[in-house]
Amino acid sequence: MTNSPTKVLILGAGKIGTTVGEMLRETEDYDVQFADAHEKSFASSQHNNLNPILLDVTDEKALRKGLEGQDAVISTLPYYLDLQVAQAAADVGVNYFDPTEDVITARKIGKWQQVRAPPLSLNVVWHPASLQLSPIIWSISMKSLWT
């Protein structure tokens, strides 16, 4: 019996989001979908087979709808959008991962993790330099969110 791939929504189709998506897709353990508010973000051939959708995360209703049916969301958005994304993920019941470099945002999200019942994975890596890790490390890191 084969497990179905973990459904991951990546918010932000820039360099970081694209890199993360490609590394996850290569493992074949993840069903990766990209979301960005700007259609021109998907013009690159790097986004082939990554199921892009237009999504404005500042629209709370649209954000929650985009999160439905996902196992996890990875926010590669600017830090000032991360709190509302993390809150929506927690409310919808979707695991959240964020390679932010904003310490204040990371601490707030970390505090939410401590008070969630049932607990969700609201994980934050504090610096984008962590994205230089190998795809294997990323895969292990991502799998730990759901085990």
Side-chain angles (χ1 to χ4, degrees):
M1 180 175 176
T2 307
N3 291 336
S4 59
T6 301
K7 295 174 104 182
V8 178
L9 178 65
I10 298 178
L11 299 177
K15 290 179 182 179
I16 294 173
T18 300
T19 301
V20 172
E22 288 176 350
M23 290 192 308
L24 291 177
R25 186 176 53 131
E26 286 174 6
T27 71
E28 299 182 6
D29 293 329
Y30 302 96
D31 179 5
V32 178
Q33 182 173 37
F34 273 106
D36 200 289
H38 307 287
E39 190 169 8
K40 67 181 179 183
S41 298
F42 303 122
S44 167
S45 63
Q46 292 177 314
H47 298 102
N48 291 342
N49 303 317
L50 293 176
N51 308 317
I53 60 168
L54 288 176
L55 177 63
D56 178 0
V57 299
T58 64
D59 178 341
E60 186 176 332
K61 187 175 179 180
L63 174 58
R64 289 172 188 270
K65 184 176 180 185
L67 292 173
E68 290 175 4
Q70 301 291 335
D71 296 310
V73 61
I74 300 173
S75 177
T76 63
L77 299 171
Y79 76 93
Y80 56 85
L81 296 170
D82 287 333
L83 289 176
Q84 67 194 53
V85 172
Q87 183 64 57
D91 292 346
V92 173
V94 173
N95 293 297
Y96 174 86
F97 186 82
D98 180 4
T100 190
E101 60 184 13
D102 183 64
V103 175
I104 294 169
T105 300
R107 287 184 179 151
K108 286 181 182 178
I109 294 170
K111 286 180 183 177
W112 292 349
Q113 170 63 25
Q114 295 171 2
V115 298
R116 293 300 299 182
L120 286 172
S121 293
L122 298 173
N123 292 292
V124 179
V125 174
W126 287 26
H127 198 278
S130 63
L131 292 174
Q132 295 172 2
L133 300 173
S134 73
I136 301 291
I137 300 297
W138 259 102
S139 180
I140 291 168
S141 163
M142 289 303 300
K143 279 212 173 283
S144 70
L145 294 178
W146 298 282
T147 56

